[in-house]
Amino acid sequence: MDMLSKLTNLFQQALETREPLVNLLDSFVDHWKGITNYYIETTDEYRPVKQTDIPWRLKQMLDILVYEEQQQPVEETGPCLEYLLQHKLLETLCTLGKAQYPPGMSRQVLLFFSKFLTLIQKPLLHIIHVYRPVQKLIRLCGLPDQKAEKEEALFLFTVCSRVNKDPYVLNYILEVNTAPTSKSSSTSDQPAAAGVGVNEGSSMTPDLSGPQATSGLIQVLLHLSQSQSPSPQSRVRQRALESVRLLAALPGEDSGALLASGSPLCELLAQRLCELYSLIPSTLDPADVQGSPITQWREQFTQTSEEERPSFPGSDHLTGFLCWFDYCQELLTHAPKTLSVKLAKEIHRQWLTGLLQPQLLQMSEAGILLHTALLSCSVRHTQSSALLAEMVPFLLGSAIHPEQPADTHRDAHATLRYKLIQHCDHISDEISIATLRLFEELLQKPDRSILGNLILRNLAQRGYATPTAAGCTGDERHLADVDALDESEELEEDPFFSDSEFGACEPLLSLPKRQEEPHPSTHHTQVSETVNSFLCLVPQEAKSSHQVQGAGYDTYVHDAHKMFKDYTALSLDFAWPDTATDNPSPSSEFYEGHFLQVLFDRIARILEQPYELNLQVTSVLSKLAVFPHPLLHEYLLDPYISLTPGARSLFSTLVRVIGELMQRIQHIPEFTEKLVHVRRQLMGLEDESMMDHVVLLRGVIVLEEFCKELAAIAFVKLPMEEQ
């Protein structure tokens, strides 16, 4: 550092000795005349510019300008900079660069402009003799056969950096079409008078209400972002994307409105998203899509090993789309609201509606499966509230009234919603799993309308509960329902509900008494009985978790605590009520809605469905049950609720499944041994072997685990909601 400091001081002393401040202008002019004289004196038109003294003279001029600024007060402009502005040196350089004479001159001009805008600290881009040549040079970028992409990207990044520093100059760079007044026209057409400084130079402010811009800044940047440079870590592409990001992140709604309405930014970003999506091959394996990690757009420019990089057929195209999608997410997140909303709507129009929706509604099962997986992956990547606000109504519609069974034929705007829900019960198990996974991803997004649309609007009037239950408090309803269960002749006559079955199941949860209370509270008892209702739902001969280690109920409690905490934080701003209302149910027959109807139908067939499908169905229902909404809690986790005729709850559906299971067990010899064997196979403790009733046995295992999970969710929720 000492040596560097000494060299710097020596250089400054030499410069001051050779060219005092009063002679800087003469030196500056001499260097400029040396450049212009080259064009008068040279006879070799093919001599590269690097073999001339032009690069050296440009550097000397730049050094003089920087040194001059350092010696001047902040509010003053030095004679060299005034000379450059008055004699339109930048415009002349721009013309020389356009002519590419001598060969390679455009690169030198681009470098000079980049360094000039970087090193000179005074505001410059509002001056007509600066922003006009900058505009011309921008229009020269991105042209074919220029071979100056590196210098173009640096120049454009420099311009965007200056705009980011001084946002008010954005309108000078975008070249919005204007209808200038006579005063501004006459001013801009005349050269700047001698002695006019940077802050006083003539300028023209474009009319922000004019039609769309004709400037090529946005187009050139997005063109460079697709540079075909050999290196995958292209610095050109990254600089171009960083430049657009700087523009999109300009503070203030005025800047956002100008970019939204005065440039093709939003349209071109959405168009590129569609182009990359269309490049994804139809042969891509949906499993590879589902397993793809969340990709950040900058990762494509980092050095990664072959082992770390996804490698499967079509991986490059998938990564390209996901990187661009993430890039749009960043722009949406940091852009002013006006620009963010415009971009989200453009993505909705071009990609969601124009490209994706026809693929989801097609007849080809392979096509449906792939595009559902891609949509699910996109939903998982979605972080922007503006894009989510477009994506949710696209997928679910905007209806707020309770559903009716015939709504699939009435609401043309929700065609996609009902088609997706039907796909959850598709003849193809793969499509059903992929669509259920899509809804699972959707449920994890911070948008209140998702649950409202799918479920809550149908539960709002508590039409599933009898009027007696609707008029009771939670504790009173619990006690009444317990008495009703004790006195039910129907349950007593059912062999499944006989004393030999439930009597053999000891309570699996015993909550400790509170020290300050001599007896457990009513709600404390309800917690215990609710949890034990789910734990004892599966009869002993159909249980196998106690036969292996690591499959106990306690593991679910830990997971349920974390999930309840996460989903409570997710719904913190939803303004949900703390308790269910006591409004009487409507006179019409209760309908749980198409989504819950499909989920309950799937649960009812848990003994007949593939293992992977059962896991996905129970995963969606578990997430619904963990949400801290009183109606969801009552309808999905209250085993004692008194249902209206024709209504079903999750618990009543599970009871029917258990009844069917008990009948089928009687026809399977050595049922328990086979059940334990299948469980050990699923856990990887034994090799798989041919066996009868494998689908049924796996379904029983999922059923037992699901009941334990529901019990754990009820355990972590009830004390927090009712204490």
Side-chain angles (χ1 to χ4, degrees), residues 61-315:
M61 291 172 63
L62 189 64
D63 290 342
I64 291 173
L65 289 171
V66 173
Y67 179 77
E68 178 187 70
E69 184 182 48
Q70 293 173 349
Q71 305 306 311
Q72 297 288 334
V74 177
E75 65 277 3
E76 295 184 11
T77 301
C80 297
L81 182 56
E82 288 189 357
Y83 181 89
L84 178 143
L85 297 174
Q86 181 180 355
H87 291 81
K88 303 181 181 180
L89 268 58
L90 295 179
E91 295 196 26
T92 303
L93 283 173
C94 190
T95 302
L96 297 177
K98 180 180 180 180
Q100 277 284 37
Y101 176 63
M105 186 61 183
S106 64
R107 290 186 175 183
Q108 298 301 318
V109 173
L110 287 165
L111 288 174
F112 180 83
F113 271 70
S114 300
K115 294 178 180 179
F116 175 70
L117 294 174
T118 300
L119 298 175
I120 302 302
Q121 301 301 308
K122 289 182 174 64
L124 296 170
L125 285 178
H126 67 290
I127 304 173
I128 191 170
H129 296 308
V130 176
Y131 73 72
R132 275 193 170 176
V134 167
Q135 291 171 348
K136 292 179 181 178
L137 197 56
I138 289 173
R139 289 195 290 270
L140 295 178
C141 295
L143 297 178
D145 301 326
Q146 288 293 319
K147 298 180 180 180
E149 284 189 341
K150 180 180 177 181
E151 291 79 10
E152 290 173 355
L154 176 61
F155 163 66
L156 295 174
F157 179 77
T158 303
V159 172
C160 294
S161 298
R162 288 301 295 250
V163 174
N164 186 265
K165 183 179 179 181
D166 301 311
Y168 71 93
V169 301
L170 175 65
N171 49 355
Y172 299 100
I173 301 302
L174 285 183
E175 290 190 81
V176 178
N177 286 341
T178 62
T181 62
S182 58
K183 178 179 178 181
S184 61
S185 299
S186 61
T187 303
S188 61
D189 290 340
Q190 297 176 359
V196 175
V198 173
N199 297 321
E200 301 161 348
S202 61
S203 63
M204 178 176 63
T205 303
D207 181 7
L208 301 187
S209 63
Q212 193 176 58
T214 58
S215 168
L217 176 61
I218 300 300
Q219 293 94 323
V220 171
L221 286 172
L222 292 180
H223 169 76
L224 291 177
S225 73
Q226 305 171 41
S227 169
Q228 299 300 317
S229 298
S231 173
Q233 293 80 32
S234 171
R235 184 64 174 164
V236 172
R237 292 164 50 206
Q238 186 175 8
R239 271 193 173 140
L241 293 175
E242 291 286 2
S243 300
V244 175
R245 186 187 62 83
L246 287 173
L247 294 179
L250 289 175
E253 290 300 325
D254 290 343
S255 299
L258 181 60
L259 285 168
S261 61
S263 81
L265 175 61
C266 298
E267 291 82 357
L268 292 178
L269 288 169
Q271 177 181 321
R272 182 58 179 164
L273 186 71
C274 293
E275 291 172 356
L276 292 170
Y277 188 84
S278 299
L279 291 176
I280 298 175
S282 59
T283 56
L284 186 64
D285 189 346
D288 291 329
V289 177
Q290 177 59 31
S292 62
I294 293 181
T295 306
Q296 296 184 353
W297 68 272
R298 287 186 178 88
E299 293 179 3
Q300 61 186 313
F301 305 114
T302 59
Q303 295 285 350
T304 56
S305 63
E306 293 295 332
E307 294 77 12
E308 297 174 345
R309 192 176 304 162
S311 179
F312 51 83
S315 61

Side-chain angles (χ1 to χ4, degrees), residues 34 66 78 103 138 159 242 291 348 464 472 499 502 514 635 669 692 696:
V66 173
I138 289 173
V159 172
E242 291 286 2
H348 184 169
Y464 51 85
C472 298
D499 292 340
F502 271 107
R514 298 182 178 180
Y635 190 59
D692 295 332
L696 171 66

Side-chain angles (χ1 to χ4, degrees), residues 7 35 38 77 136 182 231 267 375 382 434 452 466 468 473 521 537 545 584 633 657 675 716:
L7 290 174
I35 294 175
Y38 173 84
T77 301
K136 292 179 181 178
S182 58
S231 173
E267 291 82 357
L375 175 58
T382 299
T466 60
T468 301
T473 65
S521 64
L537 191 55
S545 59
H633 182 87
V657 174
L675 189 64
V716 301

Side-chain angles (χ1 to χ4, degrees), residues 7 52 72 117 170 211 215 294 334 397 417 469 483 536 612 715:
L7 290 174
T52 71
Q72 297 288 334
L117 294 174
L170 175 65
S215 168
I294 293 181
H334 296 96
R417 175 190 191 272
D483 293 339
C536 295
E612 294 78 9
F715 173 68

